[in-house]
């Protein structure tokens, strides 16, 4: 454990932790923001982009996240697009997780009884109001457990960014291991960081679900 | 295109390795996950169960890559060399058990506890009650979540490329480095993953023939 008292290693781990938190936060927020309009669009019976979205969702969920990250990391320069490692990894992780979030929200919307939107229409509500006031809050309530556990998956997924040249928590640990050969100590410490992040997300889920529960109101 | 054809045998060998590793991990996680879900059945707040829950929470929260490194780099530190394949099987099986345990536990909750009590009251040995009464009901109930996780397992095998297990993505990476044709190789790689996963997806979408035991 004395190895970890070295301030330069402490700094490395701290920087890695910030990068992990940054990547996770951006991916969780952006993929959720993108998933909602896609899920709402998929509620239309017809639409030009339906097939595009279905195809995207299948591809993004069938391909391993690491393959998507490699495609951006090795592929984009081939097309003459030079991105910094961080934006490139963010795009890959967002691409992968938006598809899952969209599917969770979509099945949330589909689980709402049709009578609800019919009733809202009969009351003279506009389509926007129906979605904003009636459908979306319920879809989120139904999809919440899946969305929160997917958020933990995104935090775990951010560790894959270490394989495409990003100095996040896992990458910091491998650097320290290669210098000190203290793999178990370093990796257990890193695991504790990931556990704390996951616990925070689970805590947020309890908070959300207790606020949203119908019986409480 | 010729490059890709030249690399195809290597990629197919890699695909076989991915399938083999996934099958081993899938089987071990299912067996142990199922066994753990039966520990102290009906007494979910007991200490062994809390221990299992803690184990499950740890391996579901820590990235697979970190768990993999823990065995790959950590093994030699305590004098055990698991090697790339060994570390991969151990790491992914532990994570798999953690997830499958949750899936089977959820399915087991759906079955009324009275069925177990009735079996015991009839004088059946405990393992017969588990094997003949509970397991046949748990498996169909758990199928959806269980198979969805198994599909993920095939894709997660790509992470093993980080410890130089020559599965699909590792060979793909070598191919990209050798030929500088990233899109050709990644298209083939993703195609292979889709081919492996599709039978599972189809199986999972099928309507269950029998959700409740006869």
């Amino acid at each position: 454990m004395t190895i970890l008292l070295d301030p330069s290693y402490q700094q490395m781990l701290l920087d890695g932790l910030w990068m992990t938190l940054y990547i996770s936060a951006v991916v969780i927020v952006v993929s959720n923001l993108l998933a909602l309009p896609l899920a709402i669009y998929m509620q239309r019976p017809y639409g030009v982009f339906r097939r595009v979205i279905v195809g995207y969702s299948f591809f993004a969920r069938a391909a391993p996240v690491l393959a998507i990250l490699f495609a951006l990391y090795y592929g984009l320069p081939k097309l003459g697009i030079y991105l910094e490692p961080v934006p490139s990894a963010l795009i890959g992780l967002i691409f992968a997780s938006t598809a899952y979030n969209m599917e969770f929200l979509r099945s949330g919307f589909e689980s709402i009884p049709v009578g609800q939107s019919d009733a809202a229409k009969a009351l003279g509500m506009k389509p926007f109001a129906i979605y904003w006031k009636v459908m979306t809050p319920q879809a989120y309530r139904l999809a919440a457990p899946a969305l929160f556990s997917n958020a933990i998956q995104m935090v775990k997924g951010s560790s894959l960014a270490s394989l495409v040249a990003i100095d996040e928590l896992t990458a910091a640990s491998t650097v320290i291991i290669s210098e000190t050969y203290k793999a178990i100590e370093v990796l257990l410490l890193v695991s504790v960081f990931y556990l704390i992040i996951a616990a925070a997300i689970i805590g947020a889920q309890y908070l959300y679900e207790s606020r949203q529960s119908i019986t409480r109101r | 295109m010729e490059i890709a054809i030249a690399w195809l045998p290597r990629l197919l060998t890699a695909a076989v390795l991915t399938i083999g590793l996934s099958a081993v991990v899938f089987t071990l996680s299912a067996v142990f996950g199922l066994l753990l879900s039966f520990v102290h059945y009906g007494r979910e707040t007991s200490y062994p169960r809390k221990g299992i829950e803690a184990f499950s929470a740890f391996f579901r929260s820590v990235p697979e890559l970190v768990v993999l490194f823990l065995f790959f780099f950590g093994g030699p530190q305590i004098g055990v060399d698991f090697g790339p394949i060994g570390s991969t099987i151990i790491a992914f099986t532990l994570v798999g058990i953690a997830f499958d345990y949750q899936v089977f536990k959820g399915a087991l909750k759906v079955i009324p506890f009275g069925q177990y009590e009735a079996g015991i009251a009839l004088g059946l040995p405990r393992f017969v009650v588990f094997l003949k009464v509970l397991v046949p009901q748990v498996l169909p109930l758990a199928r959806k979540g269980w198979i969805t996780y198994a599909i993920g397992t095939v894709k997660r095998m790509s992470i093993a490329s980080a410890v130089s297990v020559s599965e699909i993505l590792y060979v793909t990476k070598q191919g990209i480095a050798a030929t500088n044709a990233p899109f050709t190789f990644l298209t083939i790689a993703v195609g292979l993953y889709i081919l492996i996963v599709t039978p599972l997806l189809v199986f999972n979408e099928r309507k269950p023939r029998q959700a409740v035991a006869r």
Side-chain angles (χ1 to χ4, degrees):
Chain A
M1 267 298 146
T2 47
I3 290 295
L4 297 172
L5 295 176
D6 185 327
S8 71
Y9 290 146
Q10 286 177 354
Q11 194 55 44
M12 233 184 254
L13 283 171
L14 215 57
D15 291 343
L17 178 62
W18 280 122
M19 186 53 93
T20 289
L21 288 172
Y22 170 73
I23 292 177
S24 309
V26 172
V27 173
I28 290 170
V29 170
V30 176
S31 70
N32 273 294
L33 287 178
L34 291 175
L36 180 62
L38 289 177
I40 290 177
Y41 186 84
M42 288 302 287
Q43 298 310 302
R44 299 169 166 227
Y46 311 101
V48 193
F49 297 111
R50 261 188 76 99
R51 282 195 177 169
V52 180
I53 298 173
V54 169
Y56 152 70
S57 168
F58 176 77
F59 177 80
R61 290 180 302 139
V65 181
L66 198 53
I68 295 171
L69 290 176
F70 281 172
L72 291 163
Y73 186 71
Y74 296 110
L76 284 186
K78 197 85 173 90
L79 297 177
I81 303 167
Y82 293 93
L83 278 182
E84 292 288 311
V86 175
S88 146
L90 283 176
I91 292 171
L93 292 170
I94 290 168
F95 181 86
S97 44
T98 302
Y100 285 97
N101 285 340
M102 183 200 79
E103 292 295 339
F104 296 141
L105 277 175
R106 194 168 74 132
S107 73
F109 276 115
E110 278 158 17
S111 310
I112 303 170
V114 193
Q116 300 230 0
S117 57
D118 286 349
K121 243 178 265 169
L123 285 168
M125 285 174 84
K126 297 270 190 301
F128 180 80
I130 294 175
Y131 268 101
W132 189 244
K133 298 268 186 193
V134 181
M135 307 289 279
T136 304
Q138 297 194 77
Y140 268 107
R141 187 150 63 209
L142 291 162
L147 290 175
F148 276 105
S149 68
N150 197 37
I152 297 179
Q153 295 302 319
M154 291 180 222
V155 176
K156 291 168 67 177
S158 75
S159 73
L160 299 180
S162 67
L163 303 176
V164 286
I166 290 186
D167 298 322
E168 45 68 76
L169 197 49
T170 307
S173 73
T174 53
V175 172
I176 300 174
I177 291 167
S178 66
E179 286 178 13
T180 63
Y181 300 103
K182 300 279 181 206
I184 296 173
E185 292 88 333
V186 177
L187 288 168
L188 284 180
L189 179 69
V190 163
S191 303
V192 170
F193 285 141
Y194 282 111
L195 277 175
I196 293 171
I197 302 173
I201 293 173
I202 293 169
Q205 180 180 358
Y206 279 125
L207 210 67
Y208 173 83
E209 281 176 358
S210 65
R211 279 172 56 108
Q212 287 293 314
S213 81
I214 304 169
T215 46
R216 264 239 183 141
R217 290 200 195 164
Chain B
M1 209 53 217
E2 290 108 59
I3 316 163
I5 292 166
W7 278 75
L8 214 53
R10 262 181 270 189
L11 282 164
L12 288 178
T13 316
V16 171
L17 185 61
T18 296
I19 295 172
L21 283 173
S22 307
V24 171
V25 169
F26 170 78
T27 313
L28 290 175
S29 341
V31 169
F32 286 104
L34 192 60
L35 284 176
L36 286 184
S37 73
F38 283 123
V39 171
H40 280 212
Y41 176 52
R43 285 173 290 160
E44 267 78 23
T45 48
S46 69
Y47 281 106
R49 274 308 272 263
K50 280 183 184 159
I52 295 170
E53 286 292 335
F55 156 83
S56 173
F58 180 85
F59 284 104
R60 283 181 303 134
S61 305
V62 177
E64 288 83 1
L65 187 59
V66 174
V67 180
L68 183 57
F69 283 164
L70 202 54
F71 288 96
F72 185 72
F73 294 126
Q77 196 185 334
I78 52 165
V80 204
D81 192 359
F82 297 111
I85 302 264
S87 316
T88 303
I89 292 175
I90 297 171
F92 283 89
T93 300
L94 285 172
V95 179
I97 293 171
F99 273 93
D100 281 353
Y101 161 73
Q102 293 293 338
V103 173
F104 290 130
K105 188 185 78 173
L108 202 53
K109 264 191 196 152
V110 180
I111 303 166
F113 190 62
Q115 296 203 7
Y116 168 80
E117 291 175 315
I120 297 296
L122 282 171
L124 296 172
R126 272 163 54 96
F127 81 93
V128 173
V129 179
F130 283 133
L131 216 60
K132 294 279 180 185
V133 180
L134 297 175
V135 173
Q137 297 185 77
V138 163
L139 295 186
L141 281 168
R143 194 186 72 176
K144 193 104 191 178
W146 179 27
I147 303 299
T148 303
Y149 186 74
I151 292 169
T153 301
V154 176
K155 296 196 301 161
R156 268 185 294 274
M157 272 313 142
S158 61
I159 297 173
S161 64
V163 293
S164 64
V165 172
S166 53
E167 50 68 67
I168 298 173
L169 209 60
Y170 185 74
V171 175
T172 303
K173 227 173 106 174
Q174 286 182 321
I176 294 171
T179 64
N180 196 23
F183 289 112
T184 317
F185 276 97
L186 285 163
T187 309
I188 297 173
V190 171
L192 284 172
Y193 281 108
I194 292 176
L195 274 179
I196 298 171
V197 157
T198 302
L200 288 169
L201 270 174
V202 171
F203 172 70
N204 215 12
E205 291 303 316
R206 232 179 35 182
K207 284 263 177 300
R209 214 177 26 186
Q210 204 168 28
V212 189
R214 43 215 119 165

